Amino acid sequence: METVRLENLTIGYASRKNRKVVATNMTATLHSGCMTCLIGPNGVGKSTLLRTLSAFQPPLSGRALIHERDLSTLAEKELARLIGVVLTFRPDVRNMTVEEMVSLGRSPYTGFWGTLSSEDHEKVSEAISLVGISSLSHRMIQTLSDGERQKVMIAKALAQETPVIFLDEPTAFLDYPSKVEMMQTLHHLSRTADKTIFLSTHDLELALQIADTVWLMTKEGFSVGTPRSLADEGVLGAFIEQKGILFDKERLSVTVIPRS
């Protein structure tokens, strides 16, 4: 089912004196039960797109819709029940347990005092279990590894019970086995929890091997498709291949040639 749609979206930054366009005329859709990866070179506007889709900043033109509703028309509380956001930075939190951190995801439902009901506690436990960190529930956040902290933040987003979850570089700071595990976890969650998972990443090969759909942003334009279709069209090869870097479109793999 379609959850998010971009209609001729142009993103960037505007002030009274200046208007900086980052990317223009983007049209695409996101669907429930699917994981979509946003890839592209540094500085092309991936974070700006994520910020726009998260309603942290307005588009310059065009529309972004969620469940057929324009993001710009939604109140903050409505957005909090529709979109969960997991950012790159490490949460600098002390003297808070994993369970307490994940419980913050229930804030759109708990009212002014933030008192959790039995149902809220159940949702928190479910989210912790889905991410596979039940054994960490009573650990303090500051004692966790980077990978464990990322899982906690994803569990917090799951506890928020939004149909859509956006993640900005969720595999940053992780070693390679942890990167693979994180991507596999997100893909599994898109299926089992019927979530729309949309994430930016620089882990190109992992994205091509695990994602259902890829959004590729470059200075030349915006391309959307499955990893296989984009490879067959030559779009991925044009983006990846340069001096010393080869792309195998059959295996969706990248080879780096050492300098002699």
Side-chain angles (χ1 to χ4, degrees), residues 203-218:
D203 292 310
L204 182 61
E205 280 194 281
L206 281 179
L208 297 182
Q209 292 172 32
I210 296 177
D212 298 299
T213 306
V214 168
W215 291 10
L216 172 61
M217 291 181 69
T218 66

Side-chain angles (χ1 to χ4, degrees), residues 45-57:
K46 298 189 298 297
S47 293
T48 304
L49 177 57
L50 272 171
R51 287 181 57 81
T52 304
L53 296 183
S54 302
F56 294 157
Q57 67 184 67

Side-chain angles (χ1 to χ4, degrees), residues 48-235:
T48 304
L49 177 57
L50 272 171
R51 287 181 57 81
T52 304
L53 296 183
S54 302
F56 294 157
Q57 67 184 67
L60 295 182
S61 65
R63 298 196 302 168
L65 300 98
I66 180 166
H67 290 174
E68 299 293 337
R69 303 175 66 190
D70 193 320
L71 280 176
S72 65
T73 68
L74 299 178
E76 187 174 333
K77 190 169 184 179
E78 289 180 291
L79 285 168
R81 296 190 179 196
L82 291 171
I83 300 171
V85 181
V86 180
L87 301 176
T88 307
F89 68 88
R90 300 177 177 94
D92 186 18
V93 176
R94 295 184 177 276
N95 301 319
M96 179 180 283
T97 67
V98 166
E99 185 175 25
E100 289 169 339
M101 172 63 84
V102 176
S103 296
L104 295 179
R106 298 302 298 166
S107 59
Y109 311 95
T110 55
F112 179 79
W113 298 107
T115 304
L116 272 64
S117 66
S118 57
E119 180 182 356
D120 291 321
H121 284 292
E122 185 177 331
K123 297 297 183 182
V124 168
S125 295
E126 287 176 1
I128 289 172
S129 178
L130 273 172
V131 181
I133 54 172
S134 297
S135 62
L136 304 178
S137 292
H138 301 294
R139 287 267 301 274
M140 292 292 179
I141 296 295
Q142 69 266 24
T143 70
L144 303 179
S145 68
D146 289 335
E148 289 168 339
R149 290 191 191 199
Q150 285 287 62
K151 288 183 178 181
V152 171
M153 301 312 292
I154 291 169
K156 176 177 172 287
L158 287 173
Q160 199 174 328
E161 281 198 301
T162 59
V164 177
I165 299 177
F166 295 147
L167 305 100
D168 187 14
E169 291 288 342
T171 57
F173 315 123
L174 304 183
D175 57 34
Y176 190 76
S178 297
K179 289 176 186 286
V180 173
E181 182 188 9
M182 179 63 66
M183 294 288 274
Q184 289 174 328
T185 296
L186 291 169
H187 189 268
H188 178 70
L189 287 172
S190 72
R191 297 289 198 271
T192 57
D194 197 33
K195 301 289 186 183
T196 298
I197 304 287
F198 180 65
L199 62 100
S200 67
T201 181
H202 282 104
D203 292 310
L204 182 61
E205 280 194 281
L206 281 179
L208 297 182
Q209 292 172 32
I210 296 177
D212 298 299
T213 306
V214 168
W215 291 10
L216 172 61
M217 291 181 69
T218 66
K219 292 181 179 179
E220 289 72 35
F222 179 60
S223 302
V224 174
T226 65
R228 172 55 54 205
S229 68
L230 292 181
D232 290 343
E233 291 167 15
V235 174

Side-chain angles (χ1 to χ4, degrees), residues 13-20:
Y13 303 88
S15 64
R16 289 183 178 180
K17 296 183 178 180
N18 297 306
R19 186 175 188 267
K20 179 184 178 182

